[in-house]
Amino acid sequence: MLELININYEIDGKKILSNINLKIDTKKIVIITGPNGSGKSTLSKIIMGIILPTSGKVLFNGVDITNYSIDKRSKLGISYAFQTPIRFKGMTVKDIIDISLGENSSINKISDILNEVGLNYKEYINRELNDRLSGGELKRIEIASVIAKKSNLIILDEPEAGIDLWSFNNLINLFIKKKNDSGLLIISHQQKLFKIADEIILLDSGKIKARESYIDIKNIICCNKCVNKGCNHE
Amino acid sequence: MSNIDQNLLNKVIENIDYNYAYNIRSNSRSIQRKITDNVNIVSKEDNTGIDIYVQDNTKFEYIYIPVLITESGLTDIVYNDFHIGKNSNVYIVAGCAIKNNGKSKSEHNGIHRFYLEEGSVVHYIENHYAEGHNHGSKIINPITEVYLKKDSFMDIKSVQIKGVNYTKRITKGILEDNSTLEITEKIMTDGDEKADTIFDIKLKGIDSSCNVISRSYATGSSKQRFKSSIYGNNKSYAHVECDAILMDKGRVEAIPRIIANDVNANLSHEASIGKIAKDQLIKLMTLGLTEKEAEKEIIKGFLK
Ligand SMILES: Nc1ncnc2c1ncn2[C@@H]1O[C@H](COP(=O)(O)OP(=O)(O)OP(=O)(O)O)[C@@H](O)[C@H]1O
Ligand SMILES: [Mg+2]
């Protein structure tokens, strides 16, 4: 479904991504992991069209979408949950979910969606998307705004960040459910998530260093801090 | 009431519940009035406005005082004084709508003074709107003065919807012990419109508090100026928040002043002016909106 061909990205003369080739199919979960600054978010933004690659191609169902705008990609069914959720003064949880659904939706529908991310609609439906929400709450609403939308490919940039472990188990179940009608690309450091992946991609300094199943990746990654086998962290 | 008046009225007040007290002013005259057992409305002797008396302990009544202007070239001045009895709790809905299809200017100057007795609560809602398809300018200059006695509370929600060529809004308050004033003001300007808003609030009593939230949206080549002076003259609390979104050649100046005259005054302000944040546009575009649609939604939310 999604194919990246020889993606390179440079900024200010600095190479951020080198020769990335990658395929993601429907009903598959692909996880990208790797150290801070290795280029994971950059790569995901290239898929969503938030940044354009210096060279290379992005294909979606065989169509070259490298120069498509963000909204055009969104309409094709590509969805994106930000690593750091965006805040809005005045806009409410209902507003953003309505935009995502493309309708003025019923309370029932919003309640169902918020439920999926462990939020009680009564408490949240009219909350403004501003600093008064906690980090974890904002993150859940960010995920809710993405799963509300009909998607073929869902990109989640570190969905676990700020979410407590108990709730995270529910999120994992949500991702498994979403896999029924969509492909998922999840950027994560969370080894718990690795278990549900069909493929795990290890990014290091802008290059794909390994591409493995869960069983094999355990031998490559020693911890969240580095990618060198046999380090003494943890 | 004529159809023109009715349509204009709908722009500033959604639904009047005619069971409550009201005074509808059109082209400088009261055209309809109703009083209730608890709310009396009396014309001032020199005919410069009205006095509104709310009896002690009145609970949850509405009072509507819209002003309509359809005459081009009219300068309207009105003094409305609200006397709010002890422990009462009322909603006051005001609004000024001007339709000026002529070439001369139409102007409304509304001076509203609120005297809140001990323990009373007022929710004040005020909308401003103007329209016209000629060069006659539409001007609305409201002066709102509030005097809050001990333990009283007032919130003000005012919105300038559109079409007002010039406005100078002055809001003054004197707050006694344990009284609270909450103000939310939203101003939209476009074309060559100009808006000035000035706040002067004195926190006189112990534990008095005030919150001011100002949101403005300046587009076209319009200009807005926000000035606030909050005086903490006792153990008191105040916070002022001024946010402005600019588009095209819109310009905004914000001058929030806080003056602490007491060691226990706790005053703060924030002001931010700028274009719509790129991140916000991107987020809504990832949900399928075009950049233009995203702008519209962000502004709609911001001014809601
Ligand atoms: N606009 C920019 N200008 C300069 N450098 C940038 C820019 N955007 C990203 N980078 C650099 O690109 C590299 C990759 O950043 P990216 O955000 O993709 O990392 P990441 O793998 O998502 O890291 P993390 O795990 O911390 O989220 C980093 O070194 C970052 O500093
Ligand atoms: Mg990142």
Side-chain angles (χ1 to χ4, degrees):
Chain A
M1 178 185 46
L2 180 91
E3 199 176 348
L4 302 182
I5 303 171
N6 263 326
I7 294 286
N8 285 282
Y9 181 68
E10 269 176 37
I11 188 160
D12 304 335
K14 190 178 149 202
K15 196 127 187 138
I16 310 286
L17 294 171
S18 311
N19 289 323
I20 304 290
N21 290 287
L22 177 69
K23 260 189 188 171
I24 303 165
D25 289 316
T26 19
K27 310 198 178 190
K28 286 273 182 315
I29 296 180
V30 174
I31 288 183
I32 301 184
T33 192
N36 295 135
S38 56
K40 305 178 297 295
S41 294
T42 306
L43 183 61
S44 67
K45 284 179 184 165
I46 285 175
I47 300 171
M48 191 67 233
I50 298 167
I51 49 185
L52 296 178
T54 313
S55 66
K57 272 190 185 158
V58 183
L59 303 187
F60 193 70
N61 293 329
V63 179
D64 184 348
I65 62 162
T66 317
N67 293 312
Y68 277 32
S69 63
I70 301 168
D71 51 306
K72 209 165 164 190
R73 292 178 204 222
S74 168
K75 286 180 184 118
L76 287 177
I78 305 179
S79 299
Y80 185 85
F82 285 77
Q83 180 170 5
T84 313
I86 315 296
R87 286 143 216 239
F88 293 86
K89 280 201 169 150
M91 200 176 276
T92 62
V93 171
K94 178 170 190 325
D95 291 337
I96 196 111
I97 292 177
D98 278 352
I99 290 171
S100 183
L101 288 165
E103 63 181 32
N104 184 355
S105 45
S106 67
I107 290 193
N108 277 343
K109 201 156 182 180
I110 293 187
S111 159
D112 287 347
I113 291 164
L114 290 178
N115 234 333
E116 300 260 36
V117 295
L119 295 178
N120 181 317
Y121 81 95
K122 280 193 189 130
E123 231 173 287
Y124 290 95
I125 189 163
N126 290 320
R127 290 285 295 273
E128 271 185 35
L129 299 168
N130 61 21
D131 299 338
R132 282 179 209 154
L133 288 163
S134 76
E137 287 167 335
L138 276 165
K139 195 78 189 178
R140 288 167 195 233
I141 294 160
E142 175 70 10
I143 294 170
S145 77
V146 168
I147 58 156
K149 190 172 161 275
K150 199 168 159 23
S151 311
N152 300 313
L153 173 65
I154 302 175
I155 305 163
L156 299 140
D157 195 349
E158 296 194 27
E160 74 266 21
I163 297 203
D164 56 82
L165 268 183
W166 183 84
S167 311
F168 191 62
N169 287 332
N170 294 327
L171 271 188
I172 292 177
N173 290 330
L174 173 65
F175 299 154
I176 294 170
K177 198 166 110 191
K178 279 284 154 192
K179 186 178 147 175
N180 285 325
D181 46 30
S182 169
L184 280 89
L185 177 69
I186 306 175
I187 295 170
S188 177
H189 299 291
Q190 179 55 253
Q191 305 225 8
K192 248 186 169 168
L193 252 183
F194 292 2
K195 292 179 198 165
I196 64 163
D198 295 288
E199 191 179 19
I200 299 167
I201 289 168
L202 180 56
L203 208 59
D204 189 19
S205 308
K207 297 190 182 84
I208 294 183
K209 178 145 181 180
R211 191 192 294 256
E212 306 284 347
S213 67
Y214 172 63
I215 308 294
D216 302 320
I217 202 89
K218 279 201 300 190
N219 299 321
I220 297 172
I221 299 181
C222 63
C223 70
N224 291 340
K225 296 189 189 77
C226 71
V227 293
N228 301 317
K229 201 170 173 179
C231 80
N232 292 321
H233 294 132
E234 283 181 337
Chain B
M1 204 186 323
S2 71
N3 269 342
I4 296 176
D5 276 352
Q6 185 62 56
N7 287 336
L8 211 47
L9 180 60
N10 292 342
K11 298 283 187 191
V12 286
I13 304 183
E14 245 171 51
N15 271 312
I16 291 191
D17 183 339
Y18 288 99
N19 293 312
Y20 293 112
Y22 53 85
N23 183 80
I24 302 174
R25 182 179 172 91
S26 172
N27 294 326
S28 298
R29 282 188 316 119
S30 282
I31 56 164
Q32 280 181 29
R33 179 178 300 175
K34 183 183 169 193
I35 59 173
T36 64
D37 290 347
N38 296 320
V39 178
N40 195 12
I41 302 178
V42 185
S43 294
K44 288 188 185 288
E45 274 178 12
D46 50 5
N47 228 347
T48 51
I50 50 179
D51 280 288
I52 294 108
Y53 297 94
V54 174
Q55 281 196 19
D56 291 356
N57 301 311
T58 300
K59 292 292 181 213
F60 304 109
E61 286 208 27
Y62 278 82
I63 301 157
Y64 302 93
I65 48 152
V67 170
L68 309 169
I69 294 179
T70 49
E71 202 180 301
S72 188
L74 183 77
T75 296
D76 180 35
I77 303 177
V78 66
Y79 289 83
N80 294 336
D81 292 328
F82 298 83
H83 310 271
I84 312 296
K86 279 186 190 165
N87 299 318
S88 49
N89 187 334
V90 291
Y91 287 80
I92 297 171
V93 186
C96 176
I98 300 179
K99 186 188 184 84
N100 181 3
N101 283 340
K103 291 197 167 65
S104 333
K105 85 172 176 188
S106 297
E107 180 175 328
H108 173 70
N109 300 281
I111 299 98
H112 292 180
R113 288 178 292 221
F114 295 84
Y115 302 93
L116 275 73
E117 293 299 328
E118 283 184 18
S120 63
V121 174
V122 169
H123 308 282
Y124 180 54
I125 299 154
E126 179 196 57
N127 294 327
H128 289 168
Y129 168 86
E131 63 178 47
H133 47 249
N134 228 324
H135 303 297
S137 59
K138 285 89 58 189
I139 297 172
I140 301 179
N141 297 325
I143 297 178
T144 308
E145 293 178 15
V146 307
Y147 302 94
L148 303 186
K149 287 261 174 73
K150 189 169 179 271
D151 297 329
S152 64
F153 172 95
M154 180 164 180
D155 65 27
I156 301 178
K157 290 193 164 65
S158 66
V159 181
Q160 177 169 310
I161 302 165
K162 67 183 276 191
V164 179
N165 297 92
Y166 179 70
T167 187
K168 181 171 185 175
R169 317 167 65 105
I170 300 174
T171 308
K172 290 185 179 179
I174 296 179
L175 280 69
E176 297 190 5
D177 291 356
N178 203 35
S179 64
T180 302
L181 177 61
E182 307 256 353
I183 302 173
T184 310
E185 181 178 83
K186 295 176 183 177
I187 301 179
M188 269 157 271
T189 53
D190 194 355
D192 55 4
E193 293 164 11
K194 287 194 178 69
D196 277 311
T197 184
I198 297 160
F199 293 91
D200 186 295
I201 313 289
K202 296 195 168 67
L203 300 163
K204 183 175 162 216
I206 192 160
D207 290 327
S208 55
S209 72
C210 174
N211 258 306
V212 177
I213 296 176
S214 157
R215 293 216 172 137
S216 54
Y217 169 53
T219 183
S221 49
S222 66
K223 266 164 111 172
Q224 296 193 23
R225 210 155 45 167
F226 168 95
K227 251 187 188 170
S228 68
S229 307
I230 315 283
Y231 298 84
N233 296 341
N234 206 325
K235 174 173 174 279
S236 56
Y237 169 88
H239 182 66
V240 180
E241 208 179 300
C242 169
D243 281 295
I245 292 184
L246 303 176
M247 293 264 279
D248 303 327
K249 295 198 174 93
R251 279 191 276 166
V252 172
E253 178 181 336
I255 314 167
R257 280 173 77 215
I258 42 181
I259 305 104
N261 293 323
D262 187 289
V263 66
N264 288 316
N266 177 359
L267 314 176
S268 58
H269 67 73
E270 9 170 338
S272 75
I273 302 175
K275 285 194 295 199
I276 294 177
K278 191 87 192 136
D279 282 355
Q280 295 183 339
L281 290 172
I282 290 174
K283 168 65 190 170
L284 297 192
M285 287 168 79
T286 65
L287 298 179
L289 302 188
T290 62
E291 189 164 346
K292 275 269 162 272
E293 290 166 341
E295 276 174 3
K296 235 175 92 188
E297 286 294 333
I298 292 164
I299 289 161
K300 196 172 93 187
F302 180 72
L303 294 172
K304 190 167 53 187

